[in-house]
Amino acid sequence: MKRIASLLAAAVVLAAPAGAAARDTAETKFEKALAGRVAGAPVRCISLGGITSSQIIDGKAIIYRVGSKMYVNQPRSGADQLDDRDVLLTRNVGTQLCGADTVQLIDSSSRAIRSFVVLGDFVPYTRTKAS
């Protein structure tokens, strides 16, 4: 019986790293999302109407897709609260999303406001000619 318990414990220990490796790190997700792209000069605002999708990189950034460009925003504050399971809620008066605007983070399962971030500047990433 002790031998079976030891074998089961060993199996659990060996299986744990494989399961942990299945989920990419925030840095890996960031690199994959921007692969084949080059950064441009930061801009203060982007058009809300042009945003076709967004992606949260855990604890790091929000990537907004506008046409063929991707704009990376690394929040001035609250970036550590970013979680890719959250829903972004932006309330704006104008037609642009700008640095210093706040974005609420909504828990996708409870639908409760979990936290918020204060946006920074937007860095545009465009495809390189070779991509």
Side-chain angles (χ1 to χ4, degrees), residues 31-130:
E31 290 172 6
K32 283 182 181 180
L34 300 174
R37 295 178 179 271
V38 63
V43 296
R44 179 148 169 74
C45 301
I46 59 174
S47 171
L48 275 171
I51 299 171
T52 56
S53 67
S54 60
Q55 177 183 359
I56 297 172
I57 305 296
D58 290 344
K60 184 172 181 72
I62 304 170
I63 301 175
Y64 294 95
R65 182 179 291 275
V66 178
S68 62
K69 287 185 182 178
M70 296 177 108
Y71 288 88
V72 174
N73 191 289
Q74 293 185 301
R76 293 179 188 183
S77 68
D80 60 323
Q81 296 297 310
L82 290 170
D83 186 321
D84 66 2
R85 295 169 295 196
D86 286 339
V87 175
L88 300 173
L89 176 62
T90 306
R91 294 183 181 159
N92 289 59
V93 176
T95 60
Q96 294 189 316
L97 186 60
C98 297
D101 285 346
T102 60
V103 176
Q104 293 179 330
L105 305 173
I106 309 296
D107 182 276
S108 60
S109 55
S110 70
R111 306 285 192 248
I113 296 172
R114 196 178 61 71
S115 189
F116 71 95
V117 296
V118 178
L119 297 177
D121 287 340
F122 297 84
V123 178
Y125 280 78
T126 54
R127 291 208 179 275
T128 58
K129 299 281 187 219

